Amino acid sequence: MVPQPTGAQAPDPSGTRTPARAALHAQPGEREFARWLTARLAEFLSRPAEDIDPRTPFAEYGLDSVAALSLYGDIEDEFALYLEPTVAWDHPTVEALARCLADEYARRGGHARADGSAEV
C-alpha cells in the first residue's frame, strides 16, 4: 500500500465508494438510506439536496418512470438489494422508500443478497 499523507484516505479500489458511501455500507438504517436517496433524487433533478423534502411524493418532483427505473437500478448497483421494479411507486417518497430499504435490509439479516454474499 502506498503511504497516504496525514488526513488522507486511501482510495476505494473500485473508485466509487466515498467516505459517505462507506459509512452507509457500514451502518445502514433508515436515516442513511434517506440520505442516499435524497442525494440521488437531487442528482436526477439537478437541484440541491436541501430542496428535497423526504415526505414529498416523487411524482411532485417530476420523477417519471424512466427516472424511477434508473433509481431502482442504482439501488441494485449500490446495495445489491433486488426488489420489484415498482418499488419507487409503491413507496413514493424518500421517507417511505428509505423505510422499505431499511426493513428489507433488516429482514435479510444485514445482508443485501439473499445468499449473504454482499452486505449493505
Side-chain angles (χ1 to χ4, degrees), residues 21-112:
R21 282 186 178 164
L24 173 58
H25 286 265
Q27 297 181 356
E30 191 173 330
R31 180 181 297 163
E32 291 78 18
F33 282 116
R35 285 185 190 134
W36 183 86
L37 287 165
T38 297
R40 294 301 300 140
L41 186 57
E43 186 175 324
F44 284 140
L45 301 172
S46 299
R47 57 192 322 178
E50 298 79 33
D51 290 351
I52 306 297
D53 182 335
R55 294 183 191 124
T56 298
F58 297 134
E60 287 188 30
Y61 287 115
L63 190 75
D64 62 13
S65 59
V66 173
L69 282 174
S70 181
L71 179 62
Y72 165 76
D74 291 346
I75 291 167
E76 281 187 351
D77 292 345
E78 186 72 21
F79 306 108
L81 281 171
Y82 300 99
L83 308 168
E84 293 296 319
T86 59
V87 69
W89 299 120
D90 297 337
H91 307 279
T93 66
V94 167
E95 185 175 77
L97 187 51
R99 187 176 312 114
C100 170
L101 295 175
D103 289 349
E104 184 65 18
Y105 175 83
R107 187 183 72 74
R108 295 182 185 195
H111 298 285

